[in-house]
Amino acid sequence: MKFFVDSAETEEIQAAKRLGLADGVTTNPTIILKSGRGFETVIREIAALIDGPVAAEPVCSSADEIIREGRLIASWAENVSVKIPLTRDGLEAVRVLSGEGISTTMTLIFSPAQALLAAKAGASFICPFVGRLDDVSHSGMDLIAEIVALFSNYPGIDTEVIVASVRGPAHVIESAMAGADGVTVPYTVLEQLMRHPLTDAGIEKFLSDWNKIAP
Ligand code: E4P
């Protein structure tokens, strides 16, 4: 399963890369805002850091604008994936951009119908949001299971399902069990995935006993 880093912080991306957990990176306007730096600067820097796709999201609403911005953003680096919300104009834009060989990531996906349309449009990746669905009392993981089952009926679909809005280790493990192609996770979740209280307790006990061994 692929691990994307949901971050625009270069230190976090580099740390994930050292762990072999930076198969790609996703950003959104909120993540770029948090970085405190400019959109183009951040995307160019991240794209140079990793080999995998870097999802970069322009903010525009008409298909023509999305296509224009998408072509520009895609010119910044070969591994940029233009991230586009699932709207009618977004679908039109993805059809055109993917037809030109530009990688696209359809985002803000909350239903199997939206996932299917994104695949039909030729999106390289889709990002269904599990945490935000859970927040409104719907099961985010049910959505992932439905999308994976639906895509598996059609071997011709090569759109990858990258689970987004991941809030903790359970979302990661359930995504893997559902057969998602990948997850995009905040760095804090990567750290949570590594830790177990019994591992910490075991290390503490071994260290304490090691210090008692006579030289
Ligand atoms: C990634 O593609 C999404 O933009 C991100 O995972 C959203 O996460 P959030 O719902 O925690 O903001």
Side-chain angles (χ1 to χ4, degrees):
M1 191 175 68
K2 293 180 182 171
F3 278 77
F4 284 23
V5 193
D6 205 16
S7 172
E9 305 301 325
T10 45
E11 295 79 20
E12 292 182 347
I13 294 161
Q14 274 167 327
K17 185 180 171 186
R18 287 194 295 274
L19 293 163
L21 297 173
D23 298 310
V25 168
T26 51
T27 65
N28 63 33
T30 308
I31 289 172
I32 297 290
L33 174 69
K34 267 192 218 155
S35 79
R37 297 184 304 141
F39 181 41
E40 181 174 350
T41 309
V42 173
I43 295 301
R44 282 184 183 274
E45 191 176 300
I46 299 171
L49 267 184
I50 67 159
D51 297 328
V54 176
E57 186 171 347
V59 178
C60 32
S61 44
S62 78
D64 286 346
E65 283 173 323
I66 301 169
I67 293 165
R68 200 169 46 244
E69 279 296 299
R71 285 177 182 145
L72 175 69
I73 290 169
S75 75
W76 294 344
E78 276 186 4
N79 54 338
V80 164
S81 183
V82 183
K83 198 175 183 203
I84 299 166
L86 195 301
T87 60
R88 188 175 56 186
D89 286 273
L91 286 166
E92 274 186 40
V94 165
R95 244 176 97 71
V96 172
L97 293 171
S98 59
E100 294 174 5
I102 292 174
S103 171
T104 54
T105 299
M106 290 219 85
T107 187
L108 289 169
I109 288 184
F110 294 96
S111 76
Q114 291 180 315
L116 185 59
L117 294 185
K120 281 289 286 179
S124 319
F125 305 97
I126 57 164
C127 282
F129 278 37
V130 292
R132 293 192 196 186
L133 268 178
D134 291 350
D135 290 345
V136 294
S137 303
H138 284 260
S139 166
M141 292 319 304
D142 282 357
L143 171 64
I144 302 309
E146 286 166 3
I147 294 172
V148 170
L150 193 158
F151 281 14
S152 72
N153 286 339
Y154 300 96
I157 291 181
D158 51 17
T159 301
E160 294 186 43
V161 180
I162 306 295
V163 178
S165 190
V166 164
R167 300 281 166 77
H171 278 153
V172 176
I173 299 311
E174 287 169 27
S175 298
M177 291 179 72
D181 297 287
V183 284
T184 181
V185 292
Y187 189 75
T188 47
V189 173
L190 285 184
E191 285 190 326
Q192 288 174 330
L193 281 164
M194 292 172 222
R195 297 187 70 103
H196 194 287
L198 291 178
T199 306
D200 295 341
I203 289 170
E204 202 173 311
K205 169 79 174 134
F206 288 157
L207 181 63
S208 146
D209 289 346
W210 178 260
N211 289 333
K212 291 177 202 156
I213 297 171

